[in-house]
Amino acid sequence: MNNNAKYKFLTYLFLLLTVFVVFLFSKNLYTQITENTKQKQALTQQLEEKNAQYQEISKIKSDIDSWAVQDIDFDKFLSNFSEDELVEYFYSYANNNPSKVQIQTIGLSQWAYNEFGFMEAKIDLWVTFSSEKDMLDMITFLQNSQKYNFFIHELNYSLGNTLSPISVNIPLKVLYK
Amino acid sequence: MVTTNEYKNDTKHYKGMNISIILFVFVLFSTIGLYFYNMTIVSKIEAMQTQVAQVEESIKKVNEDEKVKLYVLIQANKTYLEKYKYLSNIPMFINSLKELARVHRVVFDGFSYANGEIISQLTAQNDAVTLASAKTTKFLEYFRKKDEHIFSLGFVNSFQGQEGVSFWVKFQVK
């Protein structure tokens, strides 16, 4: 084999090897690098978001632990919805105001999650009050309860009746977590 | 003896061979470089996946605290809770009705409240100073011309009587 043919052969051989390397290795590696770079970018973003979320939630926890959060009464939301405590709560008010409040019936319904993620229970309180003022006093007492988150969104009574006793159904809503 | 043409031809093919070798070496080293670069990215991805998992675990741990869960829930529903509380302020609504009755010298009969809407029957009577109709007009004017009250008055479509004018009112808590 003369030099010319040898050079030619080696030229084609290396060109073939180059093509072989490019198609079997380089191309695949390039594809992998492209995909991995995308994955890395997505992970970087995810990590940033998670870190921000963690920082935010850690701050909340440290604020709660250091009593910096004062506008939320956690105990009211974390109280249990138990019949014994609720019944005791209503009757103790009535017993403390015997001439003003007479409880007729207390109806409790099972709790259910409302659309906002809180547990919500309903209590139907049938009460006879000596006067309208006594009714408003009890409603105010319930609204300002230190123990429960009571809400009243319905009420029917004969407004203006200041003389005779009033029997009223107070449909209470209790929110808790 | 090598002729000039043969020599030229050899040199040309020799150069071609060199170029193909250089190209091959370049491609080979580039591929090795890509391989190590890819390995670096893969190890970074693995490290980041571990980090994400660790942060998620930390978040989960903090979230297990009932107070934190509650705080997040309350903050997310602050507007709703404020509205819930406001619409529950029945003594204030009743007192507002009484104040309206006192100012306009009318009487409200009955109180039916549901989710921010109050329905009652209003009666205006003739007295020594003002006619019932004038009281009625003034009352309606108060809601139609001013917008200062905590209630807005719904359209009133029926009035009964003359010496004593009565009609149903539907207030919406603002």
Side-chain angles (χ1 to χ4, degrees):
Chain A
M1 194 187 271
N2 63 15
N3 277 349
N4 193 1
K6 203 163 64 183
Y7 294 153
K8 247 182 167 179
F9 170 74
L10 285 172
T11 304
Y12 289 127
L13 177 72
F14 279 107
L15 280 175
L16 195 71
L17 282 172
T18 305
V19 171
F20 176 78
V21 170
V22 167
F23 278 94
L24 278 180
F25 300 103
S26 313
K27 194 174 147 244
N28 286 347
L29 275 169
Y30 179 76
T31 314
Q32 279 179 27
I33 287 170
T34 313
E35 282 171 10
N36 286 338
T37 307
K38 275 184 194 167
Q39 196 187 345
K40 194 181 145 222
Q41 281 171 347
L43 273 170
T44 308
Q45 198 184 345
Q46 194 186 355
L47 189 62
E48 278 172 13
E49 284 169 9
K50 293 280 173 196
N51 273 327
Q53 194 186 345
Y54 178 64
Q55 278 172 6
E56 188 187 345
I57 215 159
S58 297
K59 191 184 176 304
I60 291 170
K61 183 161 169 49
S62 69
D63 283 352
I64 292 169
D65 292 343
S66 62
W67 298 94
V69 179
Q70 290 181 338
D71 57 334
I72 298 171
D73 193 339
F74 290 102
D75 293 338
K76 269 165 86 166
F77 278 99
L78 295 173
S79 65
N80 289 324
F81 184 74
S82 61
E83 310 96 301
D84 55 332
E85 288 181 21
L86 274 163
V87 167
E88 202 267 328
Y89 190 78
F90 297 127
Y91 278 117
S92 69
Y93 181 84
N95 292 334
N96 289 332
N97 299 279
S99 60
K100 298 175 180 174
V101 179
Q102 183 74 45
I103 290 177
Q104 303 301 331
T105 56
I106 300 172
L108 308 175
S109 70
Q110 283 286 342
W111 64 267
Y113 278 107
N114 69 12
E115 58 188 305
F116 301 100
F118 291 97
M119 286 198 270
E120 186 173 307
K122 289 188 173 69
I123 303 167
D124 276 310
L125 209 58
W126 280 95
V127 189
T128 302
F129 297 100
S130 304
S131 67
E132 186 187 59
K133 185 188 172 300
D134 297 330
M135 177 189 79
L136 293 177
D137 284 347
M138 184 168 180
I139 290 174
T140 307
F141 166 78
L142 294 171
Q143 280 181 324
N144 299 332
S145 170
Q146 299 294 311
K147 196 171 176 184
Y148 298 103
N149 283 303
F150 287 130
F151 299 96
I152 310 165
H153 291 154
E154 285 175 49
L155 189 78
N156 293 295
Y157 85 102
S158 51
L159 175 74
N161 172 15
T162 49
L163 299 172
S164 54
I166 309 168
S167 282
V168 184
N169 173 30
I170 303 175
L172 287 169
K173 286 180 184 173
V174 199
L175 281 194
Y176 56 101
K177 180 77 188 83
Chain B
M1 193 165 169
V2 180
T3 64
T4 313
N5 272 350
E6 277 175 340
Y7 175 77
K8 275 185 181 172
N9 212 12
D10 272 3
T11 313
K12 196 176 128 194
H13 284 104
Y14 181 73
K15 271 185 183 172
M17 184 194 71
N18 278 346
I19 291 168
S20 70
I21 290 173
I22 291 167
L23 183 69
F24 172 72
V25 171
F26 174 75
V27 167
L28 191 70
F29 278 98
S30 299
T31 307
I32 292 168
L34 285 176
Y35 172 78
F36 282 109
Y37 180 58
N38 188 38
M39 289 301 284
T40 315
I41 297 175
V42 168
S43 67
K44 275 185 185 167
I45 287 173
E46 282 169 359
M48 285 169 93
Q49 280 171 334
T50 313
Q51 271 179 296
V52 169
Q54 283 170 346
V55 178
E56 274 176 349
E57 186 60 32
S58 306
I59 291 171
K60 198 179 158 194
K61 248 183 205 170
V62 178
N63 262 334
E64 278 168 9
D65 189 318
E66 282 294 316
K67 285 187 177 177
V68 173
K69 270 197 261 183
L70 181 59
Y71 181 87
V72 172
L73 188 65
I74 289 173
Q75 288 304 314
N77 296 293
K78 211 171 181 177
T79 316
Y80 148 76
L81 283 171
E82 279 167 5
K83 194 180 175 196
Y84 230 54
K85 195 172 179 185
Y86 181 68
L87 291 179
S88 187
N89 214 336
I90 288 175
M92 184 178 88
F93 303 150
I94 291 173
N95 288 331
S96 288
L97 271 192
K98 287 182 174 176
E99 182 61 16
L100 277 175
R102 190 188 65 76
V103 169
H104 294 278
R105 285 178 288 147
V106 293
V107 176
F108 285 106
D109 187 17
F111 176 88
S112 175
Y113 176 74
N115 302 313
E117 192 176 89
I118 300 165
I119 298 173
S120 184
Q121 191 177 36
L122 185 150
T123 305
Q125 292 286 357
N126 280 348
D127 59 34
V129 186
T130 320
L131 290 173
S133 56
K135 286 181 185 176
T136 304
T137 312
K138 207 178 162 196
F139 176 83
L140 293 172
E141 255 182 21
Y142 174 76
F143 282 97
R144 297 295 173 244
K145 293 195 174 165
K146 290 178 185 174
D147 193 26
E148 296 166 351
H149 206 266
I150 61 163
F151 303 144
S152 60
L153 177 66
F155 184 73
V156 184
N157 54 10
S158 173
F159 301 87
Q160 288 89 40
Q162 187 172 338
E163 289 181 2
V165 180
S166 67
F167 52 97
W168 287 96
V169 284
K170 193 187 276 185
F171 293 110
Q172 189 68 45
V173 175
K174 283 182 199 164

